[in-house]
Amino acid sequence: MSKLHQARFFTTVNELHTLPQDDVPEIAFAGRSNAGKSSAINVLCNQKRLAFASKTPGRTQHINYFGIYAKDALLAYLVDLPGYGYAAVGEGTRAHWNEILSNYLQHRKALVGLILIVDARRGLTELDEQMIRWFGVTQKPIHILLSKSDKQTFSENRALLHNIQEQVKQFAPAQISAQLFSSTKRVGLEESDTLIQEWLFKDLLSADNPTN
């Protein structure tokens, strides 16, 4: 069973000074409103309502932390960042969260990687690219989940993946990978689960598989 299946809600954060201070690794999930971020977290954690998937884009305007546990021992966090790009959000709110997110992504030492959820039908938008620029300066890895890929044909998805891989070259030397993903059809679930666990638990995995 995946360690991600042991995730449970930990806390909600609205300001950087209230971020958890535990010395454990965390991975953040980011994406445009309605790109399928909450659904991706839920299916990766094998839970239906761990992350709240609102039918109203832009409703979630805070940072949610989910702890991953082994019995009662806290191993890591999954961090659900506010969705961005929803026009109905006021300018003041947008500016507030831009400042918080840019500071969080660039300066959070515990953050080991970013999962960027991108709607396969839209491709990378300017706001997605802004998230990559903010986090890319850290040279920590970014993995793009091209969500809702089940709504496109095989040839459309193949062309999309190729185009994304070409687009992200502009952000070198940032480490960026991408894959097709679908929460409803569970496309790419095993691949993304393996990658996330490697990022979060590489020290534990090394201890479990020592080299000679």
Side-chain angles (χ1 to χ4, degrees):
M1 181 177 71
S2 170
K3 288 183 174 66
L4 303 187
H5 295 181
Q6 303 303 313
R8 60 180 187 258
F9 178 76
F10 184 81
T11 191
T12 293
V13 174
N14 292 294
E15 299 288 348
L16 292 179
H17 70 271
T18 61
L19 289 170
Q21 298 303 309
D22 312 88
D23 187 23
V24 297
E26 61 193 50
I27 284 178
F29 287 75
R32 287 181 60 95
S33 297
N34 211 28
K37 177 167 53 67
S38 296
S39 296
I41 294 172
N42 287 337
V43 74
L44 283 163
C45 296
N46 197 34
Q47 300 182 46
K48 291 184 178 180
R49 291 184 60 83
L50 179 66
F52 181 69
S54 173
K55 293 183 179 180
T56 305
R59 180 170 178 175
T60 302
Q61 291 298 315
H62 41 253
I63 300 173
N64 286 320
Y65 267 74
F66 306 107
I68 299 175
Y69 296 83
K71 295 184 179 179
D72 292 325
L74 178 64
L75 301 179
Y77 291 117
L78 301 180
V79 184
D80 185 8
L81 300 179
Y84 50 84
Y86 185 53
V89 175
E91 187 61 36
T93 299
R94 188 179 298 112
H96 169 74
W97 279 106
N98 280 351
E99 181 179 3
I100 287 179
L101 292 178
S102 62
N103 278 308
Y104 168 79
L105 291 171
Q106 293 176 358
H107 303 298
R108 180 70 169 168
K109 291 183 178 179
L111 185 58
V112 299
L114 175 69
I115 302 295
L116 183 62
I117 312 299
V118 173
D119 189 326
R121 299 166 299 178
R122 284 178 172 264
L124 280 181
T125 67
E126 288 186 18
L127 292 174
D128 297 322
E129 292 184 354
Q130 181 63 68
M131 295 296 287
I132 293 173
R133 291 189 190 96
W134 280 341
F135 191 66
V137 298
T138 68
Q139 296 190 33
K140 296 175 184 177
I142 300 168
H143 189 62
I144 300 172
L145 296 186
L146 296 164
S147 66
K148 306 181 184 182
S149 63
D150 59 296
K151 298 183 182 297
Q152 298 199 136
T153 66
F154 175 81
S155 59
E156 287 173 332
N157 281 329
R158 183 174 59 182
L160 169 69
L161 190 57
H162 173 75
N163 290 339
I164 293 292
Q165 290 167 340
E166 290 298 312
Q167 277 183 271
V168 299
K169 290 180 180 178
Q170 66 180 296
F171 302 108
Q175 308 171 52
I176 307 174
S177 54
Q179 68 164 101
L180 299 171
F181 189 84
S182 168
S183 298
T184 55
K185 301 296 185 180
R186 304 177 75 86
V187 173
L189 181 59
E190 183 175 349
E191 179 183 348
S192 51
D193 176 87
T194 298
L195 178 139
I196 290 169
Q197 291 201 72
E198 286 176 351
W199 285 2
L200 287 175
F201 308 121
K202 58 184 178 181
D203 293 337
L204 290 176
L205 293 172
S206 297
D208 290 340
N209 298 282
T211 56
N212 293 328

